[in-house]
Amino acid sequence: MPERSDDKARQTKALLIVIGLILLGVIVWGGLRIAGQRKQIEQIQELSALDKQLLEEDYNELVLQYEGYKFSVSNDSLAQQLSSEQAKVQRLIEELKTVKEDDAREITRLKRELRTLRDVLKSYVEQIDSLNRANQALRTENKEVKEQVLAVTSQRERLQAEKERLSGQVQLAAKLSVSALRVRGLNSRGRETKRVQNMKQLEFVFQIDRNVTAEPGFKTVYLRISKPDGSLLQQPGVSGHFPFEGGSVPFSVSREVEYGGEPVAMTVYWDIQEFLIEGSYLVEFFADGYLIGRATFALS
C-alpha cells in the first residue's frame, strides 16, 4: 500500500510538471504573438504621423510658392489676391497642427483643401504669365526664398522616402500566410486511400492564419500543384492564370474566401483526371500578389 501511494504521488507530480511546461509554452507563444502585433500597430501609427508631417511640408511649400510668385507681379490687385490666398494657406497650416495624427477624416479634408489651393495658385500663375511674358519661368530672384524652397523640397523628399519605406513594411506585415496543411487522397466513395492508383480526388485542408493588419474582404487563393517531374497540374475550366510581379502565372485551382483578420479554415479539392506518378509533389499558395505558403507531399 505505501508503494502504491508513492507511485501515485510520483505520477501526480510528473503530470503537474508536464501541465506546467505546456502552460509556460502557451504563455511564451502568446507573448511573442502580442509583441509582433504591437510592432505592426506601431509601424502603422508611425506611418500616420509621417503622412501628417508630409502634408505640413506640402502646405509650407505652397506658402513659399505664393511668396515667390509675389515678386514677379507688378499688378497691385493681383499681388493683394496672392497675399490673401497665402494667408489662407497659413491659417490651414495652423489648423493642421491641432489635428491628431489618427484623425483620418480631418487629414483627408485638409488634403482636399490643399488640392483646391494648388488649383487656385495655378490660375494665378496663368494670370501672371499673361502679364509678364518676359519671364516664362516665373522664378523669384530673392535668394533667401529660393534657399527656403530648396530646403522644404529636400525635407519633403526625405519624408516621402521614409513614408514609402514604412508603407513597404506595413504591406509585408499585412501579407497572409498558410499553415496546418494536410493533403489526403480520396477514392470514388470519398474515403481516404494511400494508393495513388485508387485516388479520384486530392483534398487540401489548410488554414489562412490570423493577421490583424491585413485588409479584410474577399480573397482569391490560388494553388499551383506540381508533379515530381516539375509539370503543373491543369484542367480546362478549372485552371487559369493570375497576375504576379508584373507577369501572368498559371495556376491549378483557385478558391475565394471572405477574410476578416481571424484564422479561416479552407478545403480545396482537385479532381484527378490525369495519370499521377508516384513521388514528391509540390503545392504553392498565392493571394494578394504574394506567395503565402508552400509544402510538399508524397504519393505512392
Side-chain angles (χ1 to χ4, degrees):
M1 289 297 290
E3 290 182 359
R4 290 186 179 180
S5 298
D6 291 342
D7 289 342
K8 187 174 182 181
R10 283 195 295 269
Q11 291 175 358
T12 301
K13 183 178 180 181
L15 180 61
L16 290 174
I17 291 173
V18 170
I19 293 173
L21 289 173
I22 292 173
L23 288 175
L24 179 61
V26 170
I27 292 171
V28 171
W29 177 82
L32 291 174
R33 290 296 298 272
I34 291 172
Q37 292 172 5
R38 184 177 300 163
K39 182 178 179 181
Q40 293 171 4
I41 292 171
E42 289 174 353
Q43 288 177 336
I44 293 174
Q45 292 173 341
E46 187 177 352
L47 187 59
S48 298
L50 270 176
D51 195 31
K52 179 187 174 184
Q53 190 175 356
L54 189 59
L55 183 59
E56 291 181 9
E57 295 298 333
D58 285 338
Y59 269 106
N60 289 329
E61 185 177 11
L62 190 59
V63 168
L64 292 174
Q65 287 175 348
Y66 271 106
E67 183 70 21
Y69 286 126
K70 285 194 301 183
F71 284 94
S72 303
V73 177
S74 56
N75 184 290
D76 292 339
S77 175
L78 188 55
Q80 186 176 1
Q81 293 176 38
L82 285 170
S83 295
S84 176
E85 291 298 323
Q86 184 183 13
K88 184 184 296 183
V89 176
Q90 195 64 55
R91 288 196 300 272
L92 287 172
I93 290 175
E94 297 303 319
E95 184 177 341
L96 176 59
K97 290 179 180 179
T98 65
V99 174
K100 293 183 179 180
E101 296 166 352
D102 59 352
D103 192 342
R105 179 178 296 178
E106 281 300 299
I107 294 293
T108 301
R109 181 183 68 81
L110 289 168
K111 284 182 178 179
R112 288 198 300 267
E113 294 279 3
L114 178 65
R115 287 194 294 269
T116 301
L117 290 167
R118 280 177 171 161
D119 290 339
V120 171
L121 177 60
K122 183 179 178 181
S123 69
Y124 283 128
V125 169
E126 293 173 353
Q127 295 180 52
I128 295 170
D129 185 48
S130 65
L131 294 172
N132 190 7
R133 296 185 182 279
N135 185 10
Q136 295 292 332
L138 297 177
R139 304 286 187 181
T140 179
E141 294 301 324
N142 186 290
K143 183 179 179 181
E144 181 180 353
V145 173
K146 275 188 174 182
E147 292 175 349
Q148 290 177 357
V149 170
L150 183 62
V152 169
T153 301
S154 177
Q155 171 72 355
R156 185 182 184 282
E157 290 175 351
R158 185 187 66 79
L159 289 173
Q160 183 66 41
E162 180 66 11
K163 179 182 177 181
E164 290 174 359
R165 184 186 67 81
L166 275 175
S167 294
Q169 291 183 357
V170 170
Q171 287 176 0
L172 286 176
K175 173 184 170 184
L176 301 179
S177 60
V178 167
S179 65
L181 173 65
R182 185 165 59 93
V183 182
R184 296 195 308 162
L186 304 179
N187 60 23
S188 58
R189 297 183 178 181
R191 296 178 180 176
E192 183 175 5
T193 178
K194 300 297 184 181
R195 304 187 65 180
V196 66
Q197 59 266 32
N198 294 334
M199 294 179 183
K200 299 299 181 182
Q201 275 188 328
L202 291 178
E203 179 188 65
F204 298 88
V205 180
F206 55 94
Q207 175 181 277
I208 305 295
D209 296 328
R210 183 175 186 266
N211 190 332
V212 295
T213 62
E215 183 178 354
F218 286 93
K219 309 283 185 180
T220 301
V221 181
Y222 301 94
L223 278 69
R224 282 174 47 87
I225 311 168
S226 300
K227 295 191 289 187
D229 61 4
S231 61
L232 189 69
L233 292 180
Q234 288 190 293
Q235 293 175 8
V238 176
S239 306
H241 291 75
F242 66 94
F244 182 71
E245 294 184 351
S248 181
V249 177
F251 67 87
S252 303
V253 62
S254 66
R255 287 291 182 276
E256 189 175 61
V257 63
E258 186 174 5
Y259 183 76
E262 296 300 321
V264 177
M266 293 188 66
T267 301
V268 177
Y269 294 95
W270 175 261
D271 293 329
I272 300 174
Q273 299 179 4
E274 59 280 287
F275 175 73
L276 296 184
I277 61 176
E278 298 181 359
S280 179
Y281 286 69
L282 172 67
V283 57
E284 298 171 298
F285 301 84
F286 293 81
D288 292 340
Y290 290 101
L291 172 64
I292 64 172
R294 63 191 308 170
T296 58
F297 62 96
L299 297 182
S300 59

